[in-house]
Amino acid sequence: MQKEIRQPVQQRSIETKRKIIKAGYTLFSKNGFFKTNTAQIAKEAQVSTGIVYGYFNDKKDILKEVINEYITQVYDPVFALLDNIGKKEDVEKLIKDVLILAEKLHKNSSDIHRELESVAQSDEEINKTFVSLQDQVTLRFVEKLKALNYKNITNENIHLAMNLIESYVHEAVYDKHLYINYDKLKQNVIFLIKSLFI
Amino acid sequence: MQKEIRQPVQQRSIETKRKIIKAGYTLFSKNGFFKTNTAQIAKEAQVSTGIVYGYFNDKKDILKEVINEYITQVYDPVFALLDNIGKKEDVEKLIKDVLILAEKLHKNSSDIHRELESVAQSDEEINKTFVSLQDQVTLRFVEKLKALNYKNITNENIHLAMNLIESYVHEAVYDKHLYINYDKLKQNVIFLIKSLFI
Amino acid sequence: MQKEIRQPVQQRSIETKRKIIKAGYTLFSKNGFFKTNTAQIAKEAQVSTGIVYGYFNDKKDILKEVINEYITQVYDPVFALLDNIGKKEDVEKLIKDVLILAEKLHKNSSDIHRELESVAQSDEEINKTFVSLQDQVTLRFVEKLKALNYKNITNENIHLAMNLIESYVHEAVYDKHLYINYDKLKQNVIFLIKSLFI
Amino acid sequence: MQKEIRQPVQQRSIETKRKIIKAGYTLFSKNGFFKTNTAQIAKEAQVSTGIVYGYFNDKKDILKEVINEYITQVYDPVFALLDNIGKKEDVEKLIKDVLILAEKLHKNSSDIHRELESVAQSDEEINKTFVSLQDQVTLRFVEKLKALNYKNITNENIHLAMNLIESYVHEAVYDKHLYINYDKLKQNVIFLIKSLFI
DNA sequence: CATGAATGAGGTTTCATTCAT
DNA sequence: GATGAATGAAACCTCATTCAT
C-alpha cells in the first residue's frame, strides 16, 4: 500500500515543503547527502521530524526535490539565455555572456553541484537525470547556434566549449590553486573557444 | 589512549593489509564510500571484520590508504612520463603521449577518481591532498616544459591543457554522451592544446 | 558536532527517561557497570535500544544520572535530618537517629553504593562527585553541631563517627561475617561515637 | 576437553608468568580490571598476546593470580605480625605497630585493594575469597589476643578496630579530604581503639 | 496537520581467545 | 615455547522511518 504523500495545496503546506527542500539544499551542500540526517534537516527547516515524511517518501525523495531546485536555479537561466540569443551576434560577445552567467550561477549554487554529482555516482537514477540535463544543454546549444549559422558547430565543439567554461568558472569560484591568475585564465578560455568556432 | 595500530612485520600481515586496501578500492569505486560498510570490505578482502581494525583506525583511514594506492597508480606514471621528456620534442607528439597515458590510467582507475573527489568535498583533509597533487602535476609540467624551451608555458595554459585532456579522457572512458564522437573529440582537444602552445 | 540530547518536554518522554535511569540503577546495582550493556538496560526499561541514546550520550552518561538518583535518595534525607536537628539534644539520641536513617538508606540503596564507589576509582570525574558529597556531609555536620554547642566537634571526629556508622550499617545490610552479632556491634559503635563527643 | 595450562618448571617460564601477573597487577590497579585488555597486559609484560594463554586459562585467571599476589603482599605480613606478638604488651604499643604496618602496606598496594573489592562485587567467587581473608584476619586476631589475655576481645571489637585503622590509613594514603589533619585523625583512632580494649 | 518520542535494523568498533607460523 | 595475526561474537551507537498524542 503506497503511502499517501501530501500534495500541498494550502499556502502553509507549500511553504513547509519549501522550507524542507531549502534545508536539504543547505545541508547537502555543506555536509553532503550521507553526512546529513533527517533530524538535522527538520531542525534546519524548523519543523518536526515526523512531518518531513508527510511531504516526502524518504530521504532520497528530498534529494530529488533538491535536485529539481538546483535545476531550476541553474539550468533554467541557461535555457533562458539560449532562448534569448535572438540573432547571430559576435562570437566573443556570446562567449562572454555565457561566462558571466556561468560564473554567477556557480557562485550561487557553490557546493551543491559537486555534491549532487557525487551522489549521482552511486545512484543510477540521479546520474541519469544529470547526464540528461547536460545532454539537453549541449544539444540545444548545438541546435540553436547551427540555426543561427555559427561556424563549426558540432556536438564535440560545444561539449569542449562548455568544459572550458566549467574549467574557468570552477577556478574562479573555488579559488583552489593559488598560482592561477583568473583573468589570464579567462582570456585563455575565451581565446580557445574562439579558436573552435572561427 | 590511542589504540595500537599494527605495523605489519610478518609477510602474511602485509598481505592482509593489502587485501583490505584492495577491497576498499574495489568497493569504494563500485558503490561509493558511504554505501560501503566495513563488513563488506572484510568480506571482499576475505578477512574477519575485526582484523580491519587491526590495520586501520576507522573506515576513513582505509579511504586514506586507498587514496595513496590511487595516487601511486595514477600520479606516479604521470611523474615518470614527465621525467622522461628528455629533450624538446614535437608538441603534438607530446600531447598524444600524455593523452595515451591519461586514457590508460583512467581506464584502470575507473570510477575511483570521481568517488574520491566526491568524498573530498566533505572532507577538508582529503580535499587538500587532492588539490596538492594537482598542483604538483601542474607546476612540475610548467617547470619541465619551460626548461625545454616550449613556448607559452604558463600556469594557466598548462592548467587548461590538463582540463582538456581530462575532458576527452572522461568521455572516452565513461561514454556518457551518445552523441559524442570520441575520435573527433580527441582531434579537437589536440587542436586546442596545440593552439595554446604555438 | 555534538549530538542533540532530548530535553524531555512531553510527559511520556520524562517517564521514559526515568525508566531508563531506574533500569540502570537496578542493573548496575545487581551486575555492576561493566557487566551491564545498553541492550540490557533498554530491555529492563522496556524501551528500544535507540531511545537510550536519545536521552543519554553514552553508558557513562546513564551512570551519571544513576548517581544523581542515588544522591537524591541517600544524601537528601541526610541533609534533611541535619536541618532538623533543632536544638541541642542528647548525644546518644542523635547518634541513634543517624544510625536508623543510615541503616534505612543502606537497605534501600543496597549494592549500588559500592558499585558506584568502584566505578569511581577508575573515573576521575565520578570520583570527584563522590568525594565532594562526602565532604559536604562531613562539613555540614561539623558546622551544625558546632553551632549547637556539642563538644569536641572536629572534622576528624565527625569523619571517624561517620566511618563507624558506615561500618555498622555495612555489616547490618550485607551480613557478610557470620561471627558478628549486629546488636553488639551497634552498641559498640554507639559507645565509641559517644566517647568521641563527651 | 580442558586445555593444558603450562605448569612452569623452567626458570624462564616462571619469570614470564610473574611478568604477566605483575603487568596485570599494575594495570588493574591503574585502570581497573574491565578497562584493561589482554593486549595491554601482554605489552606491559613485554610478551606476546598468545603466550598469555599459555599460562592462564583466561583473563579472570590472571585476576586470580593478581589477587594471590595481593594477598601475599598484604595479608602475609599481617599474619606474620600476628605470629610475632610474643607476649602481652602494652595495648597502645600494639595498636601503633598495627597502624604502622597497615600504612606501609596500603602505600604499596595503593589502588589495587579497591579495584579488587570492586570486581568482587560482581563476582561471587572473588568476593568469597576476600570475605574469607578478612574473616581469617579478624578471627586470628581475636584468638591470639584472647590467648594473651587482652581485655574485651570480641569479634565485634576487633572488627571495629580494624575498620578504624582502615579509616585512618585510607585517608593517609589517598589524601582525599583536605580538611582532615592526619596526625589528629591518627590520635583519635588510637584513642578510640584503646577505649575498646580497656 | 503537526509534534517529537519511539523503534529496530544495521552500522561501527572492541577484544577475549585461537591459530598459523 | 613464543609470536603476533586472525577470528567472530558481542558491544556500542546511529538514524531512516513510524507512531502515539
Side-chain angles (χ1 to χ4, degrees):
Chain A
M1 183 173 47
Q2 174 69 18
K3 198 184 52 170
E4 200 61 34
I5 285 298
R6 221 181 302 291
Q7 287 307 328
V9 288
Q10 294 180 1
Q11 191 54 37
R12 187 164 59 131
S13 270
I14 291 168
E15 287 203 354
T16 301
K17 187 164 188 185
R18 279 214 54 72
K19 279 197 291 182
I20 295 167
I21 295 168
K22 188 148 180 289
Y25 196 102
T26 305
L27 293 171
F28 295 163
S29 302
K30 187 157 47 172
N31 306 321
F33 178 73
F34 293 105
K35 286 190 171 175
T36 301
N37 63 44
T38 51
Q40 291 170 331
I41 295 172
K43 194 179 179 189
E44 172 84 20
Q46 290 179 297
V47 298
S48 67
T49 57
I51 201 59
V52 170
Y53 288 82
Y55 293 101
F56 301 90
N57 278 306
D58 52 26
K59 193 183 159 190
K60 190 173 156 187
D61 208 24
I62 304 175
L63 179 64
K64 283 185 203 157
E65 297 265 25
V66 167
I67 291 173
N68 285 338
E69 179 68 21
Y70 168 75
I71 288 168
T72 305
Q73 287 193 16
V74 173
Y75 284 84
D76 283 4
V78 172
F79 291 135
L81 178 140
L82 248 169
D83 292 341
N84 287 331
I85 306 176
K87 58 182 181 337
K88 183 169 174 180
E89 38 187 336
D90 182 42
V91 174
E92 183 154 348
K93 170 72 166 53
L94 180 56
I95 297 170
K96 282 182 175 166
D97 284 351
V98 174
L99 265 173
I100 287 165
L101 177 64
E103 197 165 350
K104 189 175 133 205
L105 295 174
H106 241 80
K107 272 192 178 118
N108 290 337
S109 59
S110 68
D111 300 305
I112 193 82
H113 176 76
R114 296 189 65 204
E115 177 56 27
L116 295 182
E117 279 224 325
S118 146
V119 175
Q121 195 192 351
S122 62
D123 190 298
E124 188 61 23
E125 187 185 355
I126 292 171
N127 188 42
K128 274 186 183 151
T129 305
F130 270 87
V131 172
S132 156
L133 273 166
Q134 290 161 10
D135 285 7
Q136 277 181 58
V137 174
T138 306
L139 296 176
R140 284 176 65 175
F141 259 105
V142 168
E143 192 180 359
K144 181 81 179 207
L145 298 180
K146 266 186 181 163
L148 291 171
N149 287 314
Y150 281 91
K151 280 203 286 188
N152 292 322
I153 303 301
T154 63
N155 296 346
E156 291 75 20
N157 278 354
I158 293 294
H159 180 86
L160 280 177
M162 283 170 48
N163 280 13
L164 283 165
I165 288 168
E166 168 75 17
S167 286
Y168 162 67
V169 167
H170 200 269
E171 284 309 310
V173 170
Y174 290 112
D175 188 27
K176 274 190 187 173
H177 303 291
L178 300 173
Y179 52 83
I180 298 277
N181 175 310
Y182 298 110
D183 277 334
K184 266 199 198 170
L185 189 67
K186 191 180 197 172
Q187 295 315 317
N188 293 4
V189 163
I190 294 172
F191 164 76
L192 282 180
I193 297 179
K194 274 179 17 189
S195 310
L196 279 172
F197 299 117
I198 290 175
Chain B
M1 186 167 33
Q2 177 70 17
K3 200 188 51 170
E4 201 67 30
I5 288 298
R6 212 186 296 289
Q7 288 306 327
V9 292
Q10 296 181 1
Q11 189 55 35
R12 180 168 58 136
S13 180
I14 291 167
E15 273 170 25
T16 300
K17 187 167 186 185
R18 279 214 55 72
K19 279 196 289 181
I20 295 168
I21 295 170
K22 190 147 178 289
Y25 197 103
T26 304
L27 294 171
F28 293 163
S29 302
K30 187 158 49 175
N31 306 323
F33 179 73
F34 291 105
K35 286 195 170 177
T36 301
N37 64 41
T38 51
Q40 290 169 331
I41 294 172
K43 195 176 179 190
E44 171 83 20
Q46 291 180 297
V47 297
S48 68
T49 58
I51 198 61
V52 171
Y53 290 86
Y55 294 104
F56 304 91
N57 280 305
D58 51 27
K59 210 174 84 173
K60 190 173 154 188
D61 209 26
I62 304 176
L63 179 65
K64 284 187 201 155
E65 298 263 24
V66 166
I67 291 173
N68 284 338
E69 179 69 21
Y70 169 76
I71 288 167
T72 305
Q73 286 193 17
V74 172
Y75 285 83
D76 282 5
V78 172
F79 289 135
L81 178 139
L82 245 169
D83 292 341
N84 287 331
I85 307 175
K87 58 183 182 336
K88 185 169 173 177
E89 38 187 334
D90 182 43
V91 173
E92 183 154 348
K93 169 74 167 50
L94 180 55
I95 297 169
K96 283 182 176 166
D97 284 352
V98 173
L99 265 172
I100 287 165
L101 177 63
E103 197 165 349
K104 189 175 131 205
L105 292 175
H106 243 79
K107 273 194 177 117
N108 289 338
S109 59
S110 69
D111 299 303
I112 193 83
H113 179 76
R114 295 189 66 206
E115 177 57 25
L116 295 183
E117 279 226 325
S118 124
V119 175
Q121 192 191 354
S122 62
D123 190 298
E124 188 60 23
E125 188 185 356
I126 292 172
N127 188 42
K128 273 187 183 151
T129 305
F130 271 89
V131 172
S132 158
L133 272 166
Q134 290 162 9
D135 284 9
Q136 276 182 58
V137 174
T138 306
L139 296 176
R140 284 175 66 172
F141 260 105
V142 168
E143 191 181 0
K144 181 80 178 207
L145 298 180
K146 266 185 182 164
L148 291 170
N149 288 314
Y150 281 91
K151 281 203 285 188
N152 293 321
I153 304 301
T154 64
N155 295 346
E156 292 76 18
N157 278 354
I158 293 293
H159 180 85
L160 280 176
M162 281 170 48
N163 281 13
L164 283 165
I165 287 168
E166 169 74 18
S167 285
Y168 162 67
V169 167
H170 201 268
E171 284 309 310
V173 171
Y174 292 113
D175 188 27
K176 272 190 186 173
H177 303 291
L178 300 173
Y179 52 83
I180 298 275
N181 175 310
Y182 298 110
D183 277 334
K184 266 199 198 171
L185 189 67
K186 190 179 196 172
Q187 294 316 316
N188 293 4
V189 164
I190 294 173
F191 165 74
L192 283 179
I193 298 179
K194 274 178 22 188
S195 311
L196 279 173
F197 298 117
I198 289 176
Chain C
M1 188 166 31
Q2 177 70 14
K3 200 187 50 170
E4 201 66 29
I5 288 298
R6 212 184 297 289
Q7 287 306 327
V9 290
Q10 295 180 3
Q11 190 54 37
R12 180 169 56 135
S13 180
I14 291 166
E15 272 169 26
T16 300
K17 188 168 186 183
R18 282 214 51 73
K19 279 197 290 180
I20 295 167
I21 294 169
K22 189 147 179 289
Y25 197 103
T26 304
L27 293 171
F28 293 162
S29 302
K30 187 158 48 173
N31 305 322
F33 178 72
F34 292 106
K35 286 193 171 179
T36 301
N37 64 43
T38 51
Q40 290 168 331
I41 294 173
K43 195 176 178 187
E44 172 82 19
Q46 290 180 298
V47 297
S48 67
T49 58
I51 198 60
V52 171
Y53 291 88
Y55 294 103
F56 304 90
N57 280 307
D58 51 26
K59 213 174 81 173
K60 189 173 155 189
D61 209 26
I62 304 175
L63 179 65
K64 284 187 200 155
E65 297 263 24
V66 166
I67 290 173
N68 284 338
E69 179 68 23
Y70 169 76
I71 287 167
T72 305
Q73 287 193 17
V74 171
Y75 285 84
D76 282 5
V78 171
F79 290 134
L81 177 139
L82 244 169
D83 291 341
N84 286 333
I85 306 176
K87 58 181 179 342
K88 184 170 176 179
E89 36 187 336
D90 181 41
V91 173
E92 184 153 347
K93 167 76 167 52
L94 180 56
I95 297 169
K96 283 182 174 165
D97 284 351
V98 174
L99 265 173
I100 287 164
L101 177 63
E103 198 165 347
K104 188 175 133 206
L105 293 175
H106 243 78
K107 274 196 177 115
N108 289 338
S109 59
S110 69
D111 300 304
I112 193 83
H113 178 75
R114 296 188 66 206
E115 176 57 25
L116 295 183
E117 279 226 325
S118 123
V119 175
Q121 191 192 355
S122 62
D123 190 298
E124 188 60 22
E125 187 184 356
I126 292 172
N127 188 43
K128 273 188 182 150
T129 306
F130 270 88
V131 172
S132 156
L133 273 166
Q134 290 163 7
D135 285 8
Q136 277 182 58
V137 174
T138 306
L139 295 176
R140 284 176 64 172
F141 260 104
V142 168
E143 194 181 357
K144 181 81 179 205
L145 298 181
K146 267 187 180 162
L148 292 171
N149 287 316
Y150 282 92
K151 280 203 288 186
N152 292 322
I153 304 299
T154 64
N155 296 345
E156 292 75 20
N157 278 353
I158 293 293
H159 180 86
L160 280 175
M162 282 171 47
N163 281 13
L164 283 165
I165 288 169
E166 168 76 18
S167 286
Y168 162 67
V169 167
H170 201 268
E171 285 308 312
V173 170
Y174 292 114
D175 188 27
K176 271 191 188 173
H177 303 291
L178 301 174
Y179 52 83
I180 299 275
N181 175 311
Y182 299 109
D183 277 334
K184 267 201 197 168
L185 189 67
K186 191 179 195 171
Q187 296 315 317
N188 292 4
V189 164
I190 293 172
F191 164 74
L192 282 180
I193 297 178
K194 273 182 14 193
S195 311
L196 279 172
F197 298 117
I198 290 174
Chain D
M1 183 174 45
Q2 174 70 17
K3 198 184 51 171
E4 199 61 34
I5 286 298
R6 222 180 299 294
Q7 287 306 330
V9 288
Q10 294 181 1
Q11 191 53 37
R12 187 163 60 131
S13 271
I14 292 169
E15 285 203 354
T16 300
K17 188 166 188 184
R18 280 213 54 72
K19 278 197 292 182
I20 294 167
I21 295 168
K22 188 148 181 289
Y25 196 103
T26 304
L27 293 171
F28 294 163
S29 302
K30 188 158 46 173
N31 306 321
F33 178 72
F34 292 106
K35 284 190 173 177
T36 300
N37 64 43
T38 50
Q40 291 169 332
I41 294 172
K43 195 179 178 187
E44 173 83 20
Q46 291 180 297
V47 298
S48 68
T49 58
I51 201 60
V52 170
Y53 288 83
Y55 294 102
F56 301 89
N57 277 307
D58 52 26
K59 195 182 156 190
K60 191 172 155 189
D61 208 24
I62 304 176
L63 179 64
K64 284 186 201 156
E65 298 266 24
V66 167
I67 291 173
N68 284 338
E69 178 69 21
Y70 169 75
I71 288 168
T72 305
Q73 289 193 15
V74 172
Y75 284 84
D76 283 4
V78 172
F79 290 135
L81 178 140
L82 249 168
D83 291 342
N84 287 332
I85 307 176
K87 56 179 185 336
K88 182 169 177 181
E89 38 187 336
D90 182 42
V91 173
E92 183 154 349
K93 170 72 167 57
L94 180 55
I95 297 169
K96 283 183 175 167
D97 284 351
V98 174
L99 264 173
I100 288 166
L101 178 62
E103 197 165 348
K104 188 175 134 207
L105 294 175
H106 240 80
K107 273 195 176 117
N108 290 337
S109 59
S110 68
D111 300 305
I112 193 81
H113 177 76
R114 297 189 66 205
E115 176 56 26
L116 296 182
E117 280 224 324
S118 146
V119 175
Q121 194 192 351
S122 63
D123 190 299
E124 188 61 23
E125 187 185 356
I126 292 171
N127 188 42
K128 274 187 181 150
T129 306
F130 270 86
V131 172
S132 157
L133 273 165
Q134 290 163 9
D135 284 9
Q136 277 182 59
V137 174
T138 306
L139 295 176
R140 284 176 65 173
F141 259 104
V142 168
E143 191 181 358
K144 181 82 180 208
L145 297 181
K146 267 186 180 162
L148 291 172
N149 288 314
Y150 281 92
K151 280 204 286 188
N152 293 321
I153 303 300
T154 64
N155 295 346
E156 292 74 20
N157 277 354
I158 293 294
H159 180 86
L160 280 176
M162 282 171 48
N163 281 13
L164 283 165
I165 287 168
E166 168 75 17
S167 285
Y168 162 67
V169 167
H170 201 268
E171 285 308 312
V173 170
Y174 289 113
D175 188 26
K176 274 189 187 172
H177 303 291
L178 301 174
Y179 52 83
I180 298 277
N181 176 310
Y182 298 109
D183 276 335
K184 269 200 197 168
L185 189 67
K186 191 179 195 172
Q187 296 314 318
N188 292 5
V189 163
I190 293 171
F191 164 75
L192 282 179
I193 298 179
K194 273 177 25 188
S195 312
L196 279 172
F197 298 117
I198 291 177

